[in-house]
Amino acid sequence: MTTAPTTSETKPQRRLANVTWVNDAGLAIIFVLLVIALTLASPNNSFISLNNIFLILIQTAINGILAMGMMYVIISGQIDLSVGSTVGLAGVAAAMFAHPGEFPLIVPIVVGLGVGILVGLVNGVGVAYGAIPSFIITLGTLTAVRGIALMVSGGAPVSNLSPEFQSLASGRVFGIPVLAIYFIVIAVVAAFVLRKTVFGRRIYALGGNPHAAEVSGINIKRLTIAPFVIAGTLAGLAGVLLASRTFTGSPTAGQSYELDAIAAVVIGGVSMAGGRGKAFGVVIGALMIAVIANGLDILGIDSNVQLIIKGAIIALAVLIDVKVRRD
């Protein structure tokens, strides 16, 4: 009598685990086949050259960092459209405190991160305590934050940055671009927290069944805020790194970055319904977006066609997710 409920509960869990494993393996295989195809199609196999591989890693890093934060938000059952604008404002704010000889390097970094945390708090509190749908409030902050970035910068990029600040994102460690190292470290930490901590399990529970999570004693409102703060913090970091890489804090930086982050998360197998997904898949998703863009550039494909291809990939990923949920 006592074993029947346990069996009935574990079968769906095992099935979901099997489906997730198959999706992860399938995604990795598709990625490898994509790399092989682009290598064979590129002139003189230039796609697989070491310089181009490093370029792909650099192109992946900023979007990958944003995608790690977006992963938490989407797994929790929400969405954040403001991360691109947060990148712009954080970059501007950091650059304003990064002029040579004015402040220590830690100051612009903390300012940029602080901007991201503040935007994340506004979004999270609005959703948790204001009962505003995440799509609506983050759409509002997307516009408002971009306006603030344009206002505080006077509509012009903030330049004249210190060499120390510029070196944040432009160096290499053992030949590997430091931007790629930032991304790898953040991905590893994000994966560990999500899969191995109580907090991570609660994020899954929140996205999978918020009512059941609340009944189990979880403070739903506080927990709802956390993923937005994580996403905002990582968007602030991405803004600082982008300003460092481009040697300027541009108020228009980060436009449409939220779409690439969402694309990486969805392609990586995170369910838009919440409650399911892994950091490994998101890393592959971010790499896949960069690989496609880089490969199509090498092949001379028009940028407008690239947008169509990216949109089709996102739609296909969502369609697969819906089918898996129904089966």
Side-chain angles (χ1 to χ4, degrees):
M1 295 293 292
T2 57
T3 58
T6 303
T7 303
S8 63
E9 290 172 2
T10 56
K11 281 184 178 179
Q13 293 171 358
R14 290 173 181 171
R15 178 184 175 279
L16 182 58
N18 291 336
V19 170
T20 302
W21 184 88
V22 171
N23 287 346
D24 289 344
L27 183 65
I29 291 171
I30 291 173
F31 177 72
V32 171
L33 292 176
L34 177 64
V35 170
I36 293 173
L38 289 173
T39 300
L40 295 176
S42 61
N44 301 318
N45 294 335
S46 58
F47 178 81
I48 204 65
S49 67
L50 186 59
N51 286 337
N52 195 54
I53 290 174
F54 284 154
L55 178 60
I56 290 173
L57 291 176
I58 292 172
Q59 292 171 335
T60 302
I62 297 297
N63 183 43
I65 291 172
L66 287 178
M68 287 296 113
M70 188 68 72
M71 173 184 68
Y72 275 86
V73 174
I74 293 180
I75 288 177
S76 72
Q78 307 293 342
I79 193 74
D80 189 348
L81 302 178
S82 67
V83 293
S85 296
T86 303
V87 168
L89 179 57
V92 166
M96 293 175 69
F97 290 86
H99 299 308
E102 291 188 0
F103 297 97
L105 178 60
I106 190 65
V107 174
I109 296 174
V110 170
V111 169
L113 292 175
V115 167
I117 292 170
L118 181 59
V119 176
L121 277 172
V122 170
N123 290 332
V125 170
V127 173
Y129 291 93
I132 305 172
S134 57
F135 179 87
I136 299 300
I137 190 168
T138 59
L139 182 62
T141 50
L142 176 152
T143 305
V145 170
R146 183 68 68 187
I148 294 172
L150 290 166
M151 183 176 65
V152 299
S153 66
V158 180
S159 56
N160 187 30
L161 308 184
S162 69
E164 295 81 8
F165 184 81
Q166 293 180 17
S167 66
L168 273 176
S170 59
R172 296 196 176 201
V173 178
F174 301 113
I176 303 174
V178 69
L179 267 176
I181 295 175
Y182 292 146
F183 172 44
I184 292 170
V185 171
I186 289 171
V188 170
V189 172
F192 176 82
V193 171
L194 194 60
R195 304 294 297 187
K196 300 297 183 179
T197 68
V198 173
F199 172 76
R201 290 192 290 270
R202 288 180 174 179
I203 293 295
Y204 280 111
L206 177 63
N209 192 330
H211 298 296
E214 187 172 22
V215 170
S216 68
I218 297 175
N219 190 320
I220 296 298
K221 290 185 177 180
R222 289 182 184 177
L223 189 61
T224 298
I225 296 173
F228 288 102
V229 173
I230 293 172
T233 302
L234 292 180
L237 175 61
V240 172
L241 295 177
L242 184 61
S244 171
R245 179 189 172 195
T246 58
F247 305 156
T248 181
S250 173
T252 60
Q255 287 184 333
S256 300
Y257 277 26
E258 62 277 354
L259 300 182
D260 284 341
I262 293 171
V265 172
V266 174
I267 292 170
V270 175
S271 173
M272 290 298 291
R276 182 167 61 86
K278 290 183 179 180
F280 169 79
V282 177
V283 170
I284 298 297
L287 283 169
M288 192 172 293
I289 289 175
V291 162
I292 291 172
N294 180 274
L296 294 180
D297 282 339
I298 290 177
L299 296 177
I301 305 299
D302 184 85
S303 59
N304 295 323
V305 176
Q306 294 184 30
L307 291 175
I308 296 173
I309 294 173
K310 185 185 298 182
I313 292 173
I314 295 172
L316 179 60
V318 173
L319 179 63
I320 293 173
D321 173 54
V322 171
K323 181 172 178 54
V324 169
R325 282 280 176 175
R326 286 178 178 176
D327 291 345

